[in-house]
Amino acid sequence: MDHGLTLASAPQALRRAAAAGVAGSRGVGVGVGVDVDVDGEVQVDGDDAARRHGEDLRVRPYAPDDLDALREVCLRTADVGADATGLTRWPDLVGDVYAAPYAVHDPELVTVVERAGRVAGYVIGCRDTLAFEAWCAGTWWPPLRARYRPAPGEAVRPFDAPLLHLVHTAPDPARPHLTTHPAHLHVDLLPVAQGRGLGRRLLEHVVRQLRDAGAPGVHLGVSAANTRAVAVYRRLGFDPLVDSGPAATGYLLGRSLSAEAAGPPTR
């Protein structure tokens, strides 16, 4: 996950759950466009990241065969961008919360980065957070509840606790930001795909998709400790949606899309 969310000393998944419920996130080049060509490859206007950096990087639409790879990338970036494999009892749990359901529910809003034939990152969009959560409650979570259930008396790992809460408990309905910013997104890149500007391009791509789908605004959560990401998001038009205070461990940021027909904001 490129990416972060809420309690600075806790795993990224915990920060996400605290900051925005099922909504979460994770960067963006102002004015950069992304389109899909006739061969199914996503084209980025501006610098060709793969050619410029001499890497075999390809950005393309999600395919159903990518589902397990999404789970793997999600896990390997879930600890503030680092590998969370050693933090969880269930390796697929974080991906089954923050990646796989989005791809099943709305695959057209998933774009992947591929290197040497393997998925190395992705961007995921969700146009309507409440509708997505309702679908999860009725379709996605029920079969997972038996799989992701600690044994009687078993201590739950801190990384897993907020994820299990999302699987087994209805989200908090008191989220007024969803009225104006109902969409949310996640961007997750493995280290091999980082530092090439792809996070910014992917984020701008999914923001444009959400805008074109009619979403009036999009939100994301980010750890206060991830100062680099916070600065990038702010430059790209994401502003605080709540007053987090000077001691905040995470921020809930949003970007209005309803007035962006003429182009994204510049700062």
Side-chain angles (χ1 to χ4, degrees):
M1 312 171 172
D2 126 22
H3 335 112
L5 239 248
T6 306
L7 313 165
S9 61
Q12 180 176 32
L14 178 59
R15 296 195 308 274
R16 285 180 168 162
V22 170
S25 172
R26 312 349 184 146
V28 187
V30 173
V32 175
V34 184
D35 294 294
V36 180
D37 68 12
V38 293
D39 296 320
E41 184 165 349
V42 175
Q43 302 295 319
V44 180
D45 296 340
D47 292 336
D48 184 317
R51 198 161 49 230
R52 181 181 54 168
H53 296 280
E55 297 285 355
D56 181 21
L57 293 174
R58 179 188 178 213
V59 182
R60 61 168 175 79
Y62 165 82
D65 289 346
D66 297 325
L67 194 61
D68 286 341
L70 295 189
R71 291 187 177 99
E72 180 183 0
V73 171
C74 192
L75 175 65
R76 291 175 59 192
T77 57
D79 183 21
V80 197
D83 193 341
T85 300
L87 301 178
T88 179
R89 176 190 164 187
W90 298 279
D92 284 347
L93 174 58
V94 66
D96 274 338
V97 171
Y98 286 116
Y102 295 89
V104 173
H105 180 257
D106 201 346
E108 292 184 355
L109 290 177
V110 182
T111 300
V112 304
V113 177
E114 186 180 81
R115 181 177 187 265
R118 295 178 61 89
V119 173
Y122 56 76
V123 63
I124 288 171
C126 174
R127 187 182 65 84
D128 186 328
T129 297
L130 292 177
F132 172 73
E133 291 174 346
W135 174 83
C136 285
T139 302
W140 187 255
W141 300 138
L144 297 182
R145 287 173 180 148
R147 182 187 310 172
Y148 299 126
R149 183 176 296 277
E154 178 184 0
V156 176
R157 298 187 186 189
F159 180 88
D160 293 333
L163 299 169
L164 293 173
H165 179 80
L166 289 174
V167 172
H168 292 278
T169 309
D172 181 4
R175 290 168 291 168
H177 65 275
L178 294 181
T179 301
T180 54
H181 297 76
H184 69 270
L185 57 86
H186 304 284
V187 182
D188 293 320
L189 298 174
L190 294 178
V192 70
Q194 295 175 11
R196 292 161 170 77
L198 286 173
R200 293 174 176 83
R201 290 171 170 86
L202 290 171
L203 196 148
E204 200 63 71
H205 168 53
V206 75
V207 165
R208 188 174 69 177
Q209 284 185 303
L210 294 169
R211 183 185 66 229
D212 291 348
V218 58
H219 70 273
L220 56 83
V222 61
S223 169
N226 197 346
T227 56
R228 178 181 173 185
V230 172
V232 169
Y233 291 135
R234 294 303 307 275
R235 287 199 301 270
L236 292 165
F238 286 84
D239 296 314
L241 295 178
V242 297
D243 184 4
S244 301
T249 55
Y251 306 114
L252 183 64
L253 307 179
R255 175 168 153 180
S256 177
L257 305 179
S258 56
E260 288 191 15
T266 57
R267 295 186 176 180

